[in-house]
């Protein structure tokens, strides 16, 4: 899965593209409610995806699939 789910829990911009980064920040500044919602969704995504138990379960499943 993508680390950033575009426009759901974060914004992705090309590397070293200052104009795209500025546009992404401006879009968040123009819609603070959506920026907060995106932050909440991003936090929830991180809790679900990177929780120790979830990581351990995926690791075990991967190892078992190799056996």
């Amino acid at each position: 899965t993508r680390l950033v789910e575009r426009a759901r829990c974060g914004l992705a911009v090309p590397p070293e593209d200052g104009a795209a980064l500025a546009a992404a920040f401006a879009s968040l500044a123009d819609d603070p409610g959506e920026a907060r919602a995106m932050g909440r969704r991003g936090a929830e995504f991180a809790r679900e995806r990177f929780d120790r138990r979830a990581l351990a379960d995926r690791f075990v499943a991967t190892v078992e699939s190799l056996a």
Side-chain angles (χ1 to χ4, degrees):
T1 57
R2 298 171 80 80
L3 184 56
V4 173
E5 293 182 7
R6 191 177 317 238
R8 183 181 175 300
C9 62
L11 299 174
V13 297
E16 300 183 34
D17 188 339
L21 182 59
F25 282 136
S27 73
L28 296 174
D30 288 343
D31 192 350
E34 178 55 25
R36 281 189 294 279
M38 189 179 291
R40 285 190 299 272
R41 291 188 301 261
E44 180 63 23
F45 175 82
R47 276 192 298 277
E48 290 173 359
R49 182 83 176 131
F50 301 110
D51 170 77
R52 281 188 213 166
R53 182 42 128 181
L55 288 171
D57 290 346
R58 282 196 304 280
F59 176 77
V60 169
T62 300
V63 171
E64 288 175 345
S65 74
L66 299 174

